[in-house]
Amino acid sequence: MSGYLESQLIILCLNVIYAYGIFLPAASGQLNLGAAGFITIGAYSSAWINASGAPMYIAIPASMLFCAAIAFTIAFPILRTRGVYMVLATFAFAEVVAGLIINLEFLGAAAGYPVESHADYLVVVPVTILVVLLCFFLMSTRLGLAMRSIHDDEAVATLFGVDVRLAKVAAFTLGAALMSLGGALYGHHYNYIETQTFNVLLSIYILLYVLLGGTQTAWGPLVGAAFFTVVPEALRQIATASGHAWIADSRFIFFGAIIVLMMVFRPEGLVTRTMVDRAATPFGGGRSGAAPAARTA
Amino acid sequence: MDLSQLPQQIVNGLMLGGVYVMVAVAFTLIIGMLNFLNFTVPALFMLAAVLMWAILEGHGIALDLTAIAVLLVLAMMVADRLQQARLPPPVKTVGALGLVAGACVFLWLTLSFRPGPAVFAWLDGAVGAGGRWFLGIVVALATVAVLSLLIERFTYRYMKAKYGDATEHALPLVSSLGFLIVIEHTVISTWGSDALTTESPFGNASFEVGPVLFSVPQLLSLILSLAIVFGLSVMLKTTKLGRALRSIAERPDTAPLMGVEVGRIVPVVYVIAGLLCATAGILFTINYTTVDAYIGDTVATVAIAGMVLGGLGNVWGAIVGAMLIGMVEVMSIYMVGATFKKIPIWGLLLLILIVRPTGLFGHTAIGKGKF
């Protein structure tokens, strides 16, 4: 595989993992704008465990456990907040993490932190596929159903006996573990991490991948992350090759404009539940009672 | 630590708070009236600061961009009128096509003639150095006001028309993030992402009171920002417009029944919020003379912490909160170091959200919606 394709594949894989980490809470109706915080924790903890002697195959799961423990602890106070407050709380959490790391001398502070073991695409790609399969499985379980019901209507979910808090905390914690996995893989692939990479814009982009892909089905984050990783890059390649460098420079302007327009034309995301149900039964079966009416009103 | 510097640091904290005040009030207005967190506020702050810088430095392309923005909004307004007009459908189609063609021609004319540099050449000759100041302030305010109208449509109006309640979904939040990306990358692809510096026209004008050094522009902008926010709160309390705004904040569904023209008032909220952040951005350029494409993320988001501290939707709370946050920032830089400032600011925000989510003086009803 050529170096260029490989680097793009790695970026795609990492974005998909991050997106699933945000998707799990989003599928249960919580907007998490703190992706950068969990990614930072994952990247740094895995790198630090690796540096103190453990091999990568132990360091990455250990960092996921560590991040899940942190997420579990903060989930209870953070999930008390709702709506806008939750967006702000997760955002503040990410900023606090960034502020802490940049002051910790043993993690390299502002100078960044080198990572020892290297993970090439033979590690990253299979792990990504596993993550995708796991999330598809998760959404088909009872927990996935509970998350969907909370996303659609929390009060009704409570009335039907869904343990809302348990499902929310589980989604938040699992999502944090996935983001930590993504962060750890980032560190081990590039062998160097610094907090400035994991900034507010990263959190925003990941949340956008998920919301634009759609939070109703597990296809959403995959399609969203793939679409918004591949299309701008392809646009850049085509524009550079055809001599329109200014299009390549301004591709993110188009990206932003597409986001705004998508909210007008496809507000539930690229992939919706109705669409998946129809695709699953292509000969008209999806039109019967099985297809839920689009909840747009 | 040298305690003799303490009074000076307190003054610096108040000055920084003065910039945050207007951004925090802009955030709080939108969240109080319309119940959504408007992420275009940091972008508009940054845009105004960078436009001010560009015009002071004589970059003609700033005027070209402004012309394009104004054109976009005009085209959109005409399109809206056209859609609502009682005309036979073929006429509407022809009108829409003509509009698109006209917009393309105007865009092409702007891009090929680049009127900006010519305007600068004329301005420097005819008016002198003060002309750029005047032009910078006018252009920054006008561009932001016009863009606010565009943003209002795509974050509120179309969603409201389509789904009844614009804040039901995460739509406005996502659209505003889209605008944030568009504006930031427009600036980055025009001027790059490095720091942009200019000369302060006031030089180092300052005066001393005892051990404390007051910088004249900073003091002026603090007074100006407090005066503007004070005027705003008087307006909210006494005028007819203010009463309409408060009624929308109270019950958006009932307000139209009481004869409040929601469709006309909401753009006004956006424009007021936009002008507030534009003023903050202009003052930021004048005071600190260094801007970059990321000051929206790094400076203006801090105002969010101030807004939450004071309670969402509460103008006076936002003022106190923003002042406190400015103070916390300066003090933590002074006592521990510049890299440390994020921990107390965002830690404080996190703590307040968990312990007392309504802020110090907050309303309980705001921000309880789904997103």
Side-chain angles (χ1 to χ4, degrees), chain A residues 31 80-81 83-85 88-89 91 95-96 99 103 151 205 208 211 252 256-257 263-264 267-268 295-296, chain B residues 31 162-163 168-169 171 173-175 181-182 185 304 308 339-340 342-343 346-347 350 353-354 357 366 370-371:
Chain A
L31 288 192
R80 276 183 56 203
T81 61
V84 172
Y85 289 101
L88 288 173
F91 181 70
E95 292 288 332
V96 171
N103 283 293
H151 175 267
Y205 279 134
L208 287 177
L211 291 178
F252 281 102
M263 283 297 106
V264 177
E268 287 293 352
R295 190 174 160 277
T296 48
Chain B
I31 217 165
K162 219 169 168 182
Y163 305 106
E168 163 79 7
H169 300 254
L171 303 181
L173 181 76
V174 177
S175 300
I181 293 172
V182 170
H185 283 278
I304 294 179
V308 177
T339 58
F340 190 74
K342 274 189 175 180
I343 301 176
W346 297 103
L350 201 55
L353 283 172
I354 289 165
I366 294 161
K370 203 167 178 190
F371 293 114

Side-chain angles (χ1 to χ4, degrees), chain B residues 262-303:
Chain B
V262 178
R264 281 178 192 276
I265 301 287
V266 170
V268 177
V269 180
Y270 273 78
V271 171
I272 293 176
L275 289 179
L276 281 170
C277 23
T279 317
I282 293 169
L283 292 179
F284 186 86
T285 306
I286 296 174
N287 287 336
Y288 299 97
T289 63
T290 303
V291 295
D292 63 57
Y294 299 108
I295 56 169
D297 302 342
T298 53
V299 178
T301 49
V302 175

Side-chain angles (χ1 to χ4, degrees), chain B residues 34-240:
Chain B
L34 311 172
N35 202 3
F36 101 90
L37 184 64
N38 188 352
F39 267 99
T40 58
V41 163
L44 293 177
F45 168 80
M46 183 276 292
L47 183 70
V50 171
L51 279 180
M52 186 71 196
W53 165 84
I55 288 171
L56 284 182
E57 290 291 298
H59 289 262
I61 194 166
L63 297 179
D64 304 344
L65 285 179
T66 302
I68 291 171
V70 171
L71 164 81
L72 261 180
V73 178
L74 280 181
M76 184 195 66
M77 287 173 138
V78 176
D80 265 6
R81 278 287 151 83
L82 194 68
Q83 205 190 0
Q84 286 164 4
R86 286 192 188 162
L87 290 171
V91 178
K92 276 192 186 183
T93 315
V94 172
L97 288 176
L99 192 64
V100 172
C104 288
V105 168
F106 189 87
L107 197 65
W108 176 74
L109 283 177
T110 314
L111 286 177
S112 51
F113 284 116
R114 291 264 162 109
V119 172
F120 271 114
W122 170 80
L123 188 78
D124 285 347
V127 190
R132 282 192 182 178
W133 275 88
F134 185 70
L135 186 72
I137 292 170
V138 169
V139 164
L141 287 177
T143 312
V144 168
V146 157
L147 281 179
S148 299
L149 289 175
L150 185 75
I151 291 164
E152 186 265 335
R153 268 146 224 258
F154 283 98
T155 55
Y156 191 82
R157 184 176 298 184
Y158 294 154
M159 312 304 165
K160 176 105 180 156
K162 219 169 168 182
Y163 305 106
D165 176 11
T167 53
E168 163 79 7
H169 300 254
L171 303 181
L173 181 76
V174 177
S175 300
S176 72
L177 289 174
F179 276 109
L180 173 75
I181 293 172
V182 170
I183 295 175
E184 260 189 30
H185 283 278
T186 307
V187 169
I188 291 174
S189 63
T190 313
W191 289 292
S193 51
D194 298 329
L196 314 163
T197 54
T198 183
E199 292 274 312
S200 172
F202 294 104
N204 293 322
S206 58
F207 61 90
E208 286 181 44
V209 178
V212 185
L213 188 74
F214 284 90
S215 145
V216 172
Q218 288 194 358
L219 192 64
L220 283 179
S221 55
L222 176 67
I223 293 169
L224 183 65
S225 82
L226 286 182
I228 289 174
V229 175
F230 179 74
L232 183 74
S233 72
V234 169
M235 188 275 281
L236 280 177
K237 201 157 253 174
T238 56
T239 63
K240 195 176 169 206

Side-chain angles (χ1 to χ4, degrees), chain A residues 56-135:
Chain A
M56 188 172 74
Y57 302 102
I58 295 176
I60 295 180
S63 80
M64 285 170 70
L65 275 180
F66 177 63
C67 193
I70 292 182
F72 184 75
T73 320
I74 65 162
F76 290 97
I78 281 195
L79 293 181
R80 276 183 56 203
T81 61
R82 309 172 57 85
V84 172
Y85 289 101
M86 159 120 193
V87 174
L88 288 173
T90 48
F91 181 70
F93 168 74
E95 292 288 332
V96 171
V97 169
L100 279 175
I101 299 275
I102 211 163
N103 283 293
L104 291 178
E105 284 300 329
F106 76 99
L107 289 178
Y113 192 57
V115 186
E116 280 173 20
S117 304
H118 179 69
D120 61 1
Y121 73 97
L122 290 175
V123 179
V124 178
V125 175
V127 168
T128 311
I129 294 172
L130 273 182
V131 167
V132 176
L133 292 179
L134 175 80
C135 287

Side-chain angles (χ1 to χ4, degrees), chain B residues 241-262:
Chain B
L241 175 67
R243 204 161 58 231
L245 289 174
R246 282 184 290 132
S247 77
I248 294 175
E250 193 113 346
R251 290 255 179 237
D253 299 331
T254 317
L257 302 179
M258 301 285 130
V260 176
E261 284 187 273
V262 178

Side-chain angles (χ1 to χ4, degrees), chain A:
Chain A
M1 198 185 301
S2 79
Y4 169 71
L5 268 183
E6 191 186 321
S7 71
Q8 290 308 313
L9 187 65
I10 295 285
I11 294 174
L12 175 64
C13 285
L14 291 175
N15 280 342
V16 167
I17 297 180
Y18 298 157
Y20 274 103
I22 288 294
F23 165 73
L24 290 181
S28 53
Q30 314 151 43
L31 288 192
N32 183 345
L33 198 53
F38 296 110
I39 295 169
T40 313
I41 294 177
Y44 273 87
S45 57
S46 178
W48 185 76
I49 296 168
N50 190 215
S52 42
M56 188 172 74
Y57 302 102
I58 295 176
I60 295 180
S63 80
M64 285 170 70
L65 275 180
F66 177 63
C67 193
I70 292 182
F72 184 75
T73 320
I74 65 162
F76 290 97
I78 281 195
L79 293 181
R80 276 183 56 203
T81 61
R82 309 172 57 85
V84 172
Y85 289 101
M86 159 120 193
V87 174
L88 288 173
T90 48
F91 181 70
F93 168 74
E95 292 288 332
V96 171
V97 169
L100 279 175
I101 299 275
I102 211 163
N103 283 293
L104 291 178
E105 284 300 329
F106 76 99
L107 289 178
Y113 192 57
V115 186
E116 280 173 20
S117 304
H118 179 69
D120 61 1
Y121 73 97
L122 290 175
V123 179
V124 178
V125 175
V127 168
T128 311
I129 294 172
L130 273 182
V131 167
V132 176
L133 292 179
L134 175 80
C135 287
F136 269 91
F137 168 71
L138 200 66
M139 290 310 284
S140 71
T141 60
R142 240 186 129 69
L143 175 65
L145 205 59
M147 282 158 54
R148 268 171 63 170
S149 69
I150 297 171
H151 175 267
D152 288 352
D153 197 322
E154 197 176 320
V156 174
T158 318
L159 286 177
F160 275 82
V162 174
D163 190 340
V164 170
R165 172 177 284 194
L166 180 76
K168 277 183 165 180
V169 170
F172 190 79
T173 311
L174 282 172
L178 285 185
M179 283 184 272
S180 149
L181 171 68
L185 286 176
Y186 176 96
H188 286 295
H189 181 74
Y190 294 103
N191 291 103
Y192 176 76
I193 43 182
E194 53 177 353
T195 51
Q196 290 90 328
T197 331
F198 311 116
N199 54 15
V200 187
L201 275 179
L202 181 70
S203 303
I204 292 179
Y205 279 134
I206 297 169
L207 185 64
L208 287 177
Y209 295 152
V210 175
L211 291 178
L212 295 172
T215 55
Q216 291 182 345
T217 66
W219 287 100
L222 185 64
V223 173
F227 186 80
F228 288 108
T229 314
V230 174
V231 170
E233 186 57 28
L235 197 64
R236 188 178 74 89
Q237 286 298 321
I238 295 168
T240 317
S242 61
H244 294 85
W246 66 273
I247 294 182
D249 289 339
S250 53
R251 65 190 187 280
F252 281 102
I253 302 175
F254 296 113
F255 175 72
I258 289 174
I259 291 167
V260 174
L261 291 179
M262 272 212 35
M263 283 297 106
V264 177
F265 296 111
R266 261 195 103 64
E268 287 293 352
L270 281 170
V271 186
T272 57
R273 207 174 286 159
T274 324
M275 190 171 140
V276 172
D277 287 347
R278 281 202 186 140
T281 49
F283 300 108
R287 282 166 192 271
S288 65
R295 190 174 160 277
T296 48

